[in-house]
Structure formats: C-alpha cells, structure tokens
Amino acid sequence: MRFLLTGGAGYIGSHTCVSLLDAGHEVVVLDNFVNSCPEAIARVEKIAGKSITLYEGDCCDAAFVSSVFDKEHIDGVVHFAGLKAVGESVRIPLNYYQNNLGATMTLCRVMAEHHVKRIVFSSSATVYGDSKEVPFNESLPMGECTNPYGWTKWMSERIMRDIAFADPEWTVVLLRYFNPVGAHESGLIGEDPSGIPNNLMPFICQTAAGVRDKLSIFGNDYPTPDGTCVRDYIHVMDLADGHVKALEYAMDHQGTEIFNLGTGEGYSVYQMVAAFERANHLTLPHVDAPRRPGDIAVSYADPAKAKAVLHWQAKRTLDDMCRDAWNWQSRNPHGYRQA
Ligand code: NAD
Ligand code: UFG
C-alpha cells in the first residue's frame, strides 16, 4: 500500500515512516518543516534502505495538497501535521486554530475530491480532560481541554467524525496518544524540540547532556503515591507500529473508530528520573518546583481495545525508552542541526 503522511518529517511521523517501510508499504511525506527538517527523512531512508517521496508545502494550502493527490496514487493518509506546543497555544491561540483545524479541513476536503477516504488522525489523551476515572477508556465522554492546542485535537476529532457520519464511504481512525518518548534504536532519528523543551523526556535528556543545568520537577503535592504527576510513557517505535496496524485496519473497515495508544502503565516524574539514571548509569541534577498550570495529576490508558481490535500492544520497557532517548541525545547533542 502507498500512504501519505502529513507532518511525516516530525518526531512521530519520521518513526512511523520507518515502521511502514519495514512493513513493506510505500510512503509519501507532505511537510512544511515548520517544526522539522528534511534531514529526518534522509535518515529514515538510511535506516530503512528505501526511498520516500517528499513534498514540501503547507497542509492548509488546498492547491498544493491537491497537486500531491493529482501526482500520487494514495491508499490512505496519516494526518500528523499540526502545531503542538501547549504553552505557545495559550499565547497565540489563533495560529493553532488556523493551522491545526485549517490543515484538517483542507486535507479532508481534498481527500474527498480525490476519492481517498481513509484517514488515521494523531489525537491526544488531552481530549479526556481532567477525568477522575483512570485508566482512560475510549468510551469515556470527552472532557474539557485546558488549552487551545487540546481544543484543536478535540475539534478535529469532531470534524472527522461528522464527515464519516455524513458519508459512509469514509474511514476515520482517531488515535489518542499518551506520552511518546524515546527514539529509534539506531540513534539516527529522535525528538528534536526547538528552544527550551516543554516535555519531560527531552528536558531530562538535555539536562543529562549538560545543555540545561537541572530539571525542575513541577509539583510534588499531587494526590499520587509520591506526590508527582503520573503519565503513561510509550516508546515512539511502539507508537509507530500502532500506526501500521491502524492503517491496515482502516483499509478494510468503514466508519469512525477510536483507539488509545498507551502502555496502560503509569509512572511518576520521580520514577522517570530514577529510571533514566538507572538505565543510563548517570546522575541527573533536579529540584522540586511549583506545579505547572494546566497539569492533571494522573493520566494513563486502558489499552485493551487496541489490543483486541488492532492486535497491537506496546512491547518496549521503560528502560528501553530511557536508553534509546539518551542514545539519540548523546549522538546528536544539537539534534539534526550540526554543532
Ligand atoms: P512534530 O512537531 O515533531 O511533527 C509535526 C509535523 O507537522 C512537523 O514536521 C511540522 O513541520 C509539520 N507541520 C505542522 N503544521 C504543518 C502544516 N500546516 N503543513 C505541513 N506540515 C506541518 O510533532 P510530533 O510530536 O511528531 O506530533 C505529531 C502529531 O501528533 C501532532 O499532530 C501532535 O499534535 C500529535 N501528538 C503529539 C504528542 C506528543 O507528545 N509528541 C502527543 C499527542 C498528540
Ligand atoms: N514535567 C516536569 N518538568 C519538566 C517537564 C515536565 O516536572 O521540565 C512534568 C509535568 O509537570 C508532567 C510530566 O512531567 O507532570 C509530563 O509532562 P509532559 O509535558 O512531558 O507531558 P504532558 O502529559 O503534560 O503533555 C503531553 C503532551 C501533550 C498532550 C498531553 C496530554 O506533550 O501534547 O500529554 O496527553 F496534550
């Protein structure tokens, strides 16, 4: 099969390219490199020993997206393209609504015009809001998001469900990711955040590399066993493999289906620090700091549906996640940029 990946040069997209190529599929990537670079695709090609067709342009640009579908035979789409910095979305909400919803609506319209009606979408556990019921199960009602980024996921889900409801030829698979971390085991591709990382694992890695002085642990008075927040960290290669299963599922089903992609295990921030130190035989400078606004105490997946329906489950351990994240960081201290 030949799949289009919007945002395929980004962190999760590049790892998914590897999994799809390894599974024998062909990959076309559309990306404007607003948060990535072509080097990621070159490295994917090196890992997989296969080539990728790459189009540089904006997913909100209907003429451009349409030109890609005119040139390529596409069996299905994974829609990764979007802005994802939670704090930035609070400061410049309109950019997030315009980019993330614009990309979703333009893409779906162009897909329908080209009679390609199978889409897998990168959603997030953030759509559950601050649910008191853990683990998060797909049948829970969607919650209140705490930031504009989260609302763009919530609204994109709604838009795609409505499209599939109106036209039964559509297949929409909504994947709710928990907390992707780690890197391909080669250390050739990984997460390359611009500026100061918002997320825990890249901040830990940059602290271990000496780029940051110390890790601040945001809040130690949450109602959790050790007082720090609990999350479901999932190895990005497990997540990537989940996309292969989701696309293969989409090829012979119709309608909308939602799947959590998580491990089902929650780890606290203190536990993550200890695991990183243990896996990589190093000491990580860290201090306790005030809570970060908008954080919820506990988030972890009920992954049973993905296991039963997609025959997918996360295989890699917390040690694998910590080791592979550090392998990437230590081999590429400046990410994809040269020093
Ligand atoms: P990323 O920023 O590394 O990748 C997103 C890619 O989309 C980038 O390559 C970027 O250049 C591209 N892009 C953005 N807007 C575009 C546009 N208008 N046109 C073309 N390309 C565009 O992020 P990621 O971590 O790989 O996340 C991929 C998707 O998964 C995003 O939609 C993100 O919101 C979602 N997601 C990520 C996480 C996470 O923790 N990483 C969690 C839940 C959901
Ligand atoms: N944390 C720290 N110090 C840091 C960074 C993070 O203590 O320097 C803590 C946070 O307070 C939180 C935990 O580490 O308790 C995880 O934080 P992340 O930012 O790594 O992840 P979040 O769960 O907050 O956010 C992630 C994605 C979002 C998504 C959300 C909900 O980054 O895109 O999960 O699924 F919306």
Side-chain angles (χ1 to χ4, degrees), residues 175-192:
L175 298 180
R176 293 179 177 166
Y177 310 156
F178 281 71
N179 289 59
V181 295
H184 187 265
E185 60 177 11
S186 64
L188 282 172
I189 56 171
E191 189 167 13
D192 184 17

Side-chain angles (χ1 to χ4, degrees), residues 84 86 124-126 147 149 177-179 197-201 203 215-219 229-231 233 269 292 295-296 299:
K84 63 162 186 177
V86 170
S124 166
T126 198
N147 55 74
Y149 162 75
Y177 310 156
F178 281 71
N179 289 59
N198 297 304
N199 298 119
L200 180 64
M201 187 57 100
F203 206 105
L215 170 76
S216 295
I217 295 179
F218 299 141
C229 292
V230 169
R231 296 287 182 275
Y233 298 93
V269 182
R292 182 173 70 175
D295 277 344
I296 63 173
S299 160

Side-chain angles (χ1 to χ4, degrees), residues 33 52 57 95 102 124 148 195 232 236 301:
F33 303 120
I52 286 175
N95 292 26
S124 166
D232 185 336
V236 67

